[in-house]
Amino acid sequence: MEQNITSYENSTDIKIIDSQITKLEKIASLDELLATPLEIWSLEYRLKPDDPTKLTMTENMVDGFITEEGSMGKPILIFSIMNSTPQYLGVIRSGENDMSSPAGQEMAVRVFLEANHQLPHETYSGKHILVKFPLTTGETSQLLLSQPVIQGASGIWSVERWKDSNGNEYYNTPQTDVTIAEYYARLQTLADEGEEPAQLDPLQVAMNYISNDIGMGQHVKLDQLVVDNEATADDFAITPESILIGYVFNLSLENHSFDFDNIEWLTMEDSARFKGLNINPDDDMPNGFYILNKYTYTDPLEVTEDTKYSIVDANSGALKEVSKQEFIEYFKQYTDFMPPCVITKKDGYVTSIAEKYMP
């Protein structure tokens, strides 16, 4: 509260003339994450400004008082308890986390502690499996699978977290009304009794998670998974690289942003899909490929000073690296038709753009 009062008074000419805590309530205690017990508390307060009309932001005002409610919800305070004395660790926001269940509360605190380097960047130690898979956008994402109860052939597997090609990390919070440990213990018991055999197969766990938990209409086939059975948590920390193919528009020397129209490059290896797409290879694929462009909208992508550019050498047919300016000038020759490009993308930025050879 004192920090907020100081912030208001330093950034505006508003003075806070009264303040009060209206609620300070313990939500939960957690004993398993750190060596010392943890407690989660919700805080509600009111700050009275001398002149409310001077405030530019009004979404957190009630009856002329500034409240604790912000764009990301209410503050949730985290304490460690040492010798019966609370030590304030920091604050998270209710809007960013599911605080309605024991599993959600534990995961919210875990994310906080990992970000503050008080926990290692893995939920379960022991053997891990890294599974890379394509999203419907063509980008590559990855799952980290672990054994949450027991190690070895009789232990169940779970997806503990996943990461997209922008480096964003998402934690798996089981949908349950018990703690995470109790949830997985129940699944392990069912597997021991032969009722949940799929939980013993990490690839089935991965497939089910991609289809049912990630959302966005994701669906992959088993042969699309790239599996590393000897992975570590450090391997998962490396953002996966995505390789996309499509048309590049509005690339310029002045801006880092350009527009990208994603396509699929189909060959005879994709013949199982031809019937559903009304593709006749004899008529539609004279050069052995078919460009499938379902949607004509573009996505904004961004290059950096280190992005590499390549074009097809007219004599050899091989790629040769050129400068960004040379790449832009080269593509100006195309008016009626523009060849697609293969781009690589990692951590939210395009690392290379290469003209796709057209046989």
Side-chain angles (χ1 to χ4, degrees):
M1 285 175 64
E2 290 174 352
Q3 290 173 349
N4 282 355
I5 290 171
T6 300
S7 176
Y8 275 112
E9 295 186 339
N10 287 344
S11 61
T12 68
D13 60 353
I14 293 172
K15 297 299 180 184
I16 303 299
I17 59 176
D18 190 18
S19 64
Q20 60 177 313
I21 293 175
T22 58
K23 180 180 179 182
L24 184 60
E25 181 178 71
K26 185 168 73 170
I27 298 174
S29 297
L30 302 172
D31 298 326
E32 305 298 329
L33 289 176
L34 295 181
T36 57
L38 297 170
E39 291 183 355
I40 313 171
W41 290 69
S42 65
L43 169 66
E44 296 181 11
Y45 58 81
R46 299 293 182 267
L47 307 178
K48 186 175 183 179
D50 60 347
D51 185 356
T53 63
K54 295 179 182 178
L55 289 169
T56 57
M57 304 294 288
T58 60
E59 73 274 5
N60 60 339
M61 292 288 295
V62 173
D63 298 330
F65 284 83
I66 301 169
T67 75
E68 76 293 333
E69 189 81 38
S71 60
M72 298 309 297
K74 296 179 180 292
I76 306 295
L77 312 181
I78 301 173
F79 298 90
S80 65
I81 310 301
M82 301 182 66
N83 300 321
S84 301
T85 302
Q87 305 291 322
Y88 176 65
L89 299 183
V91 62
I92 59 179
R93 287 280 169 175
S94 61
E96 299 176 295
N97 303 279
D98 174 17
M99 306 303 296
S100 64
S101 68
Q105 294 161 3
E106 178 184 334
M107 192 57 68
V109 176
R110 168 172 288 281
V111 173
F112 169 84
L113 294 173
E114 285 190 16
N116 286 276
H117 309 291
Q118 292 170 281
L119 280 180
H121 212 63
E122 63 179 334
T123 307
Y124 306 103
S125 59
K127 182 177 175 60
H128 296 295
I129 294 177
L130 183 67
V131 176
K132 295 185 179 183
F133 65 97
L135 294 174
T136 54
T137 60
E139 295 179 299
T140 299
S141 292
Q142 61 191 26
L143 309 172
L144 183 67
L145 285 88
S146 307
Q147 293 187 291
V149 184
I150 59 176
Q151 299 287 303
S154 59
I156 63 170
W157 288 88
S158 73
V159 173
E160 68 165 70
R161 59 191 74 195
W162 70 281
K163 186 191 292 278
D164 63 24
S165 63
N166 292 323
N168 299 313
E169 191 166 319
Y170 308 89
Y171 293 72
N172 177 23
T173 304
Q175 300 301 303
T176 177
D177 57 358
V178 298
T179 67
I180 294 176
E182 290 174 316
Y183 171 79
Y184 284 124
R186 290 179 182 178
L187 278 185
Q188 182 66 60
T189 299
L190 291 173
D192 294 341
E193 296 171 350
E195 295 185 30
E196 289 285 348
Q199 293 296 135
L200 300 172
D201 182 348
L203 296 190
Q204 283 298 315
V205 171
M207 294 280 286
N208 289 337
Y209 187 83
I210 294 168
S211 298
N212 301 322
D213 292 272
I214 290 181
M216 300 178 290
Q218 304 300 325
H219 180 71
V220 296
K221 297 178 181 177
L222 192 60
D223 60 5
Q224 291 179 291
L225 304 183
V226 179
V227 182
D228 181 354
N229 289 302
E230 304 298 329
T232 66
D234 288 339
D235 294 325
F236 175 80
I238 301 171
T239 303
E241 184 178 73
S242 294
I243 300 177
L244 306 173
I245 183 170
Y247 300 110
V248 172
F249 299 103
N250 302 321
L251 183 67
S252 69
L253 292 175
E254 295 77 20
N255 298 314
H256 287 311
S257 180
F258 69 95
D259 296 317
F260 182 71
D261 182 10
N262 199 11
I263 66 171
E264 281 191 78
W265 181 275
L266 303 178
T267 66
M268 290 304 297
E269 293 181 358
D270 305 294
S271 58
R273 300 178 57 195
F274 290 172
K275 184 177 180 180
L277 295 170
N278 294 318
I279 296 174
N280 184 332
D282 295 330
D283 298 331
D284 301 324
M285 301 174 60
N287 295 318
F289 67 89
Y290 182 89
I291 293 177
L292 178 63
N293 193 5
K294 288 184 179 179
Y295 312 105
T296 56
Y297 60 80
T298 59
D299 294 313
L301 297 181
E302 194 166 344
V303 297
T304 70
E305 298 295 337
D306 297 322
T307 302
K308 299 184 182 302
Y309 304 88
S310 301
I311 61 175
V312 175
D313 185 279
N315 297 318
S316 65
L319 287 175
K320 67 175 181 179
E321 189 172 327
V322 295
S323 68
K324 183 180 182 180
Q325 182 172 357
E326 290 173 322
F327 186 87
I328 293 171
E329 291 298 323
Y330 172 81
F331 270 81
K332 285 182 178 179
Q333 68 178 297
Y334 297 103
T335 54
D336 297 331
F337 171 79
M338 179 185 297
C341 292
V342 176
I343 72 166
T344 56
K345 181 171 175 278
K346 185 177 181 181
D347 289 320
Y349 295 96
V350 173
T351 57
S352 70
I353 307 178
E355 179 187 4
K356 172 71 174 176
Y357 173 68
M358 304 281 288

